[in-house]
PDB file of all heavy atoms in Angstrom:
ATOM      1  N   LEU A 240     -13.025   7.848  29.321  1.00 96.00           N
ATOM      2  CA  LEU A 240     -12.646   8.280  30.670  1.00 96.00           C
ATOM      3  C   LEU A 240     -13.214   9.642  31.017  1.00 96.00           C
ATOM      4  O   LEU A 240     -12.636  10.324  31.920  1.00 96.00           O
ATOM      5  CB  LEU A 240     -11.115   8.252  30.818  1.00 96.00           C
ATOM      6  CG  LEU A 240     -10.443   6.906  30.886  1.00 96.00           C
ATOM      7  CD1 LEU A 240      -8.943   7.064  30.924  1.00 96.00           C
ATOM      8  CD2 LEU A 240     -10.917   6.118  32.118  1.00 96.00           C
ATOM      9  N   LEU A 251      -5.561   5.946  39.238  1.00 95.00           N
ATOM     10  CA  LEU A 251      -6.095   5.149  38.139  1.00 95.00           C
ATOM     11  C   LEU A 251      -5.471   3.761  38.084  1.00 95.00           C
ATOM     12  O   LEU A 251      -4.338   3.562  38.532  1.00 95.00           O
ATOM     13  CB  LEU A 251      -5.832   5.847  36.819  1.00 95.00           C
ATOM     14  CG  LEU A 251      -6.382   7.282  36.655  1.00 95.00           C
ATOM     15  CD1 LEU A 251      -6.058   7.794  35.251  1.00 95.00           C
ATOM     16  CD2 LEU A 251      -7.876   7.313  36.865  1.00 95.00           C
ATOM     17  N   SER A 252      -6.227   2.806  37.557  1.00 92.00           N
ATOM     18  CA  SER A 252      -5.718   1.438  37.367  1.00 92.00           C
ATOM     19  C   SER A 252      -4.758   1.434  36.199  1.00 92.00           C
ATOM     20  O   SER A 252      -4.674   2.405  35.395  1.00 92.00           O
ATOM     21  CB  SER A 252      -6.895   0.500  37.083  1.00 92.00           C
ATOM     22  OG  SER A 252      -7.474   0.794  35.812  1.00 92.00           O
ATOM     23  N   GLY A 253      -4.026   0.327  36.010  1.00 89.00           N
ATOM     24  CA  GLY A 253      -3.109   0.224  34.918  1.00 89.00           C
ATOM     25  C   GLY A 253      -3.766   0.368  33.559  1.00 89.00           C
ATOM     26  O   GLY A 253      -3.263   0.978  32.662  1.00 89.00           O
ATOM     27  N   GLY A 254      -4.970  -0.256  33.402  1.00 89.00           N
ATOM     28  CA  GLY A 254      -5.674  -0.142  32.143  1.00 89.00           C
ATOM     29  C   GLY A 254      -6.139   1.262  31.903  1.00 89.00           C
ATOM     30  O   GLY A 254      -6.135   1.709  30.734  1.00 89.00           O
ATOM     31  N   MET A 255      -6.574   1.975  32.938  1.00 93.00           N
ATOM     32  CA  MET A 255      -6.968   3.361  32.753  1.00 93.00           C
ATOM     33  C   MET A 255      -5.760   4.242  32.361  1.00 93.00           C
ATOM     34  O   MET A 255      -5.901   5.129  31.473  1.00 93.00           O
ATOM     35  CB  MET A 255      -7.584   3.915  34.034  1.00 93.00           C
ATOM     36  CG  MET A 255      -8.948   3.355  34.333  1.00 93.00           C
ATOM     37  SD  MET A 255      -9.614   4.050  35.874  1.00 93.00           S
ATOM     38  CE  MET A 255     -11.190   3.208  35.968  1.00 93.00           C
ATOM     39  N   ILE A 256      -4.619   3.980  32.967  1.00 93.00           N
ATOM     40  CA  ILE A 256      -3.402   4.753  32.607  1.00 93.00           C
ATOM     41  C   ILE A 256      -3.130   4.570  31.133  1.00 93.00           C
ATOM     42  O   ILE A 256      -2.770   5.513  30.400  1.00 93.00           O
ATOM     43  CB  ILE A 256      -2.209   4.301  33.427  1.00 93.00           C
ATOM     44  CG1 ILE A 256      -2.408   4.696  34.909  1.00 93.00           C
ATOM     45  CG2 ILE A 256      -0.916   4.855  32.877  1.00 93.00           C
ATOM     46  CD1 ILE A 256      -2.255   6.151  35.155  1.00 93.00           C
ATOM     47  N   ARG A 257      -3.287   3.331  30.656  1.00 91.00           N
ATOM     48  CA  ARG A 257      -3.061   3.047  29.242  1.00 91.00           C
ATOM     49  C   ARG A 257      -4.012   3.845  28.357  1.00 91.00           C
ATOM     50  O   ARG A 257      -3.658   4.332  27.315  1.00 91.00           O
ATOM     51  CB  ARG A 257      -3.205   1.571  28.974  1.00 91.00           C
ATOM     52  CG  ARG A 257      -2.432   1.027  27.793  1.00 91.00           C
ATOM     53  CD  ARG A 257      -0.960   1.016  28.089  1.00 91.00           C
ATOM     54  NE  ARG A 257      -0.169   0.726  26.896  1.00 91.00           N
ATOM     55  CZ  ARG A 257       1.023   1.266  26.665  1.00 91.00           C
ATOM     56  NH1 ARG A 257       1.533   2.088  27.516  1.00 91.00           N
ATOM     57  NH2 ARG A 257       1.697   0.981  25.581  1.00 91.00           N
ATOM     58  N   ARG A 258      -5.273   3.941  28.815  1.00 94.00           N
ATOM     59  CA  ARG A 258      -6.261   4.700  28.019  1.00 94.00           C
ATOM     60  C   ARG A 258      -5.934   6.224  28.033  1.00 94.00           C
ATOM     61  O   ARG A 258      -6.148   6.910  27.047  1.00 94.00           O
ATOM     62  CB  ARG A 258      -7.644   4.425  28.537  1.00 94.00           C
ATOM     63  CG  ARG A 258      -8.127   3.049  28.223  1.00 94.00           C
ATOM     64  CD  ARG A 258      -9.133   2.457  29.184  1.00 94.00           C
ATOM     65  NE  ARG A 258     -10.418   3.153  29.161  1.00 94.00           N
ATOM     66  CZ  ARG A 258     -11.375   2.901  30.036  1.00 94.00           C
ATOM     67  NH1 ARG A 258     -11.178   2.060  31.050  1.00 94.00           N
ATOM     68  NH2 ARG A 258     -12.500   3.550  29.943  1.00 94.00           N
ATOM     69  N   VAL A 259      -5.436   6.705  29.133  1.00 96.00           N
ATOM     70  CA  VAL A 259      -4.938   8.080  29.157  1.00 96.00           C
ATOM     71  C   VAL A 259      -3.805   8.289  28.186  1.00 96.00           C
ATOM     72  O   VAL A 259      -3.702   9.301  27.481  1.00 96.00           O
ATOM     73  CB  VAL A 259      -4.507   8.492  30.604  1.00 96.00           C
ATOM     74  CG1 VAL A 259      -3.925   9.913  30.578  1.00 96.00           C
ATOM     75  CG2 VAL A 259      -5.692   8.445  31.592  1.00 96.00           C
ATOM     76  N   PRO A 277      -1.062  -0.889  22.681  1.00 91.00           N
ATOM     77  CA  PRO A 277      -2.065  -0.016  23.303  1.00 91.00           C
ATOM     78  C   PRO A 277      -3.143  -0.742  24.090  1.00 91.00           C
ATOM     79  O   PRO A 277      -3.801  -0.128  24.968  1.00 91.00           O
ATOM     80  CB  PRO A 277      -2.711   0.721  22.101  1.00 91.00           C
ATOM     81  CG  PRO A 277      -2.550  -0.256  20.957  1.00 91.00           C
ATOM     82  CD  PRO A 277      -1.173  -0.893  21.230  1.00 91.00           C
ATOM     83  N   ALA A 279      -2.650  -3.324  26.148  1.00 82.00           N
ATOM     84  CA  ALA A 279      -2.122  -3.976  27.370  1.00 82.00           C
ATOM     85  C   ALA A 279      -2.939  -3.486  28.546  1.00 82.00           C
ATOM     86  O   ALA A 279      -3.059  -2.261  28.793  1.00 82.00           O
ATOM     87  CB  ALA A 279      -0.666  -3.629  27.514  1.00 82.00           C
ATOM     88  N   GLY A 280      -3.481  -4.411  29.319  1.00 82.00           N
ATOM     89  CA  GLY A 280      -4.197  -4.055  30.534  1.00 82.00           C
ATOM     90  C   GLY A 280      -5.685  -3.756  30.304  1.00 82.00           C
ATOM     91  O   GLY A 280      -6.417  -3.478  31.271  1.00 82.00           O
ATOM     92  N   LEU A 281      -6.164  -3.825  29.066  1.00 85.00           N
ATOM     93  CA  LEU A 281      -7.589  -3.565  28.774  1.00 85.00           C
ATOM     94  C   LEU A 281      -8.335  -4.887  28.864  1.00 85.00           C
ATOM     95  O   LEU A 281      -7.836  -5.930  28.455  1.00 85.00           O
ATOM     96  CB  LEU A 281      -7.728  -2.955  27.380  1.00 85.00           C
ATOM     97  CG  LEU A 281      -7.048  -1.614  27.104  1.00 85.00           C
ATOM     98  CD1 LEU A 281      -7.535  -1.070  25.815  1.00 85.00           C
ATOM     99  CD2 LEU A 281      -7.253  -0.643  28.211  1.00 85.00           C
ATOM    100  N   ASP A 282      -9.551  -4.813  29.352  1.00 87.00           N
ATOM    101  CA  ASP A 282     -10.391  -6.003  29.407  1.00 87.00           C
ATOM    102  C   ASP A 282     -11.056  -6.185  28.023  1.00 87.00           C
ATOM    103  O   ASP A 282     -10.965  -5.334  27.168  1.00 87.00           O
ATOM    104  CB  ASP A 282     -11.468  -5.918  30.520  1.00 87.00           C
ATOM    105  CG  ASP A 282     -12.453  -4.773  30.333  1.00 87.00           C
ATOM    106  OD1 ASP A 282     -12.829  -4.433  29.209  1.00 87.00           O
ATOM    107  OD2 ASP A 282     -12.883  -4.158  31.375  1.00 87.00           O
ATOM    108  N   GLN A 285     -13.249  -3.333  26.710  1.00 88.00           N
ATOM    109  CA  GLN A 285     -12.463  -2.164  26.406  1.00 88.00           C
ATOM    110  C   GLN A 285     -11.704  -2.333  25.095  1.00 88.00           C
ATOM    111  O   GLN A 285     -11.536  -1.427  24.313  1.00 88.00           O
ATOM    112  CB  GLN A 285     -11.538  -1.819  27.530  1.00 88.00           C
ATOM    113  CG  GLN A 285     -12.264  -1.324  28.780  1.00 88.00           C
ATOM    114  CD  GLN A 285     -11.401  -1.367  30.013  1.00 88.00           C
ATOM    115  OE1 GLN A 285     -10.251  -1.913  30.022  1.00 88.00           O
ATOM    116  NE2 GLN A 285     -11.913  -0.793  31.104  1.00 88.00           N
TER     117      GLN A 285
END
Side-chain angles (χ1 to χ4, degrees):
L240 288 175
L251 303 182
S252 67
M255 288 180 180
I256 292 288
R257 205 72 190 146
R258 288 152 70 189
V259 175
L281 302 189
D282 63 34
Q285 291 164 351

